[in-house]
């Protein structure tokens, strides 16, 4: 019986876990004298293994598609036991990030959160998540807040774990009691990658998402124009 595949898989797991624990298909056995530091390191390595496996499955599937054609998903489902939608999602995220744009310090889930954005926006948010050491959920909250500010959407945004919902503020409009719903117009601005990078840095210097920063700049310019016209 050919056990080459099982041996290779076992070697991959050992490269993450080490030899202090005994690795089996159905579990892991630890020695009684295992140091706490070693136990902590094994946990961290297992997290990396889980994260890497998503990328590996995605790249494996993409290669199969390019090399062997449309039968890839049927074969992939049979070989992995994963459902079609899961595999398709993995491959979709992987296609959005070339290998040199994937950040080892962030999880596959981090990349999935920003996969729908343009490449410059993806790079900005992933860099920020890495610098701020955001979890996937923290990145999601920051991204939703930024998108809400860009669209002028006052829909509730998840809070910071305190169970409350917070509405996205509109920096361009002061609060007014009794005011009815405002008509919202979406403005689309096309920027080059260099321009987006420049504006993103300026926004980060003010501690704001780029969309919110642009909104504030436009509001300030509007006030200056109004003041000049009445002078």
């Amino acid at each position: 019986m050919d056990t080459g595949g099982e041996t290779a898989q076992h070697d991959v797991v050992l490269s993450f876990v080490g030899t202090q624990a005994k690795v089996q298909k159905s579990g892991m056995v630890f020695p009684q004298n295992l140091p706490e530091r070693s136990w902590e390191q094994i946990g961290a390595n297992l997290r990396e293994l889980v994260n890497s496996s998503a990328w590996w499955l995605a790249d494996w599937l993409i290669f199969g598609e390019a090399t062997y054609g449309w039968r890839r998903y049927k074969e992939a489902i049979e070989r992995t036991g994963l459902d079609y939608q899961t595999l398709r999602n993995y491959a979709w995220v992987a296609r959005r990030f070339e290998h040199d744009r994937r950040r080892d310090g962030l999880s596959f889930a981090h990349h999935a959160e920003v996969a729908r954005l343009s490449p410059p926006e993806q790079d900005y948010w992933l860099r920020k998540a890495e610098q701020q050491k955001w979890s996937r959920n923290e990145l999601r909250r920051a991204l939703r807040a930024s998108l809400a500010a860009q669209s002028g959407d006052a829909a509730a945004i998840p809070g910071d774990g305190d169970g409350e919902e917070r509405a996205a503020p509109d920096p361009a409009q002061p609060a007014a009691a009794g005011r009815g719903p405002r008509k919202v117009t979406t403005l689309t601005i096309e920027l080059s990658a260099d321009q987006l990078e420049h504006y993103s840095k300026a926004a980060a210097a003010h501690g704001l998402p780029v969309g919110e920063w642009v909104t504030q700049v436009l509001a300030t310019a509007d006030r200056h124009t109004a003041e000049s016209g009445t002078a």
Side-chain angles (χ1 to χ4, degrees):
M1 182 174 64
D2 182 11
T3 60
E6 293 183 11
T7 300
Q9 183 185 49
H10 190 264
D11 289 344
V12 168
V13 174
L14 282 179
S15 69
F16 281 86
V17 176
T19 58
Q20 292 180 292
K22 183 179 179 181
V23 180
Q24 303 170 334
K25 272 192 172 183
S26 57
M28 188 179 299
V29 180
F30 300 93
Q32 291 297 319
N33 61 348
L34 181 71
E36 184 177 358
R37 183 72 185 95
S38 298
W39 174 80
E40 292 172 350
Q41 188 60 51
I42 289 174
N45 291 345
L46 287 173
R47 179 194 63 194
E48 295 302 317
L49 176 61
V50 171
N51 179 56
S52 296
S53 65
W55 289 117
W56 295 340
L57 278 168
D59 290 336
W60 170 73
L61 186 58
I62 292 171
F63 176 84
E65 175 186 11
T67 308
Y68 310 118
W70 63 270
R71 292 178 62 248
R72 67 195 184 283
Y73 280 113
K74 179 181 178 182
E75 293 293 332
I77 291 170
E78 292 178 357
R79 298 294 181 182
T80 66
L82 298 174
D83 63 79
Y84 169 81
Q85 191 60 51
T86 297
L87 291 170
R88 183 171 181 174
N89 290 344
Y90 282 170
W92 182 80
V93 172
R95 286 191 181 95
R96 299 285 291 168
F97 296 94
E98 300 84 359
H99 282 263
D100 60 357
R101 293 182 54 241
R102 300 175 186 178
R103 294 177 178 258
D104 291 344
L106 298 175
S107 69
F108 183 89
H110 281 88
H111 292 75
E113 285 296 327
V114 301
R116 294 184 181 276
L117 303 177
S118 67
E121 291 175 313
Q122 292 170 352
D123 292 338
Y124 167 77
W125 284 106
L126 291 179
R127 181 171 61 252
K128 194 170 181 65
E130 201 166 41
Q131 292 170 346
Q132 301 293 328
K133 301 186 183 305
W134 283 341
S135 67
R136 187 278 305 273
N137 287 340
E138 288 171 329
L139 172 59
R140 176 181 292 179
R141 284 195 292 268
L143 183 57
R144 286 180 175 177
S146 176
L147 294 176
Q150 290 182 52
S151 64
D153 184 5
I157 299 172
D160 295 325
D162 55 8
E164 296 182 359
E165 299 285 322
R166 294 179 176 84
D170 183 353
Q173 295 290 339
R179 175 182 294 175
R182 293 183 296 107
K183 181 179 179 181
V184 175
T185 300
T186 300
L187 175 64
T188 301
I189 303 175
E190 294 186 0
L191 301 174
S192 66
D194 289 340
Q195 287 175 317
L196 179 59
E197 178 71 15
H198 174 74
Y199 294 151
S200 297
K201 288 180 179 179
H206 289 80
L208 296 171
V210 64
E212 186 175 335
W213 176 79
V214 169
T215 302
Q216 289 191 1
V217 170
L218 292 174
T220 301
D222 182 56
R223 286 196 298 270
H224 288 168
T225 300
E227 291 170 358
S228 298
T230 58

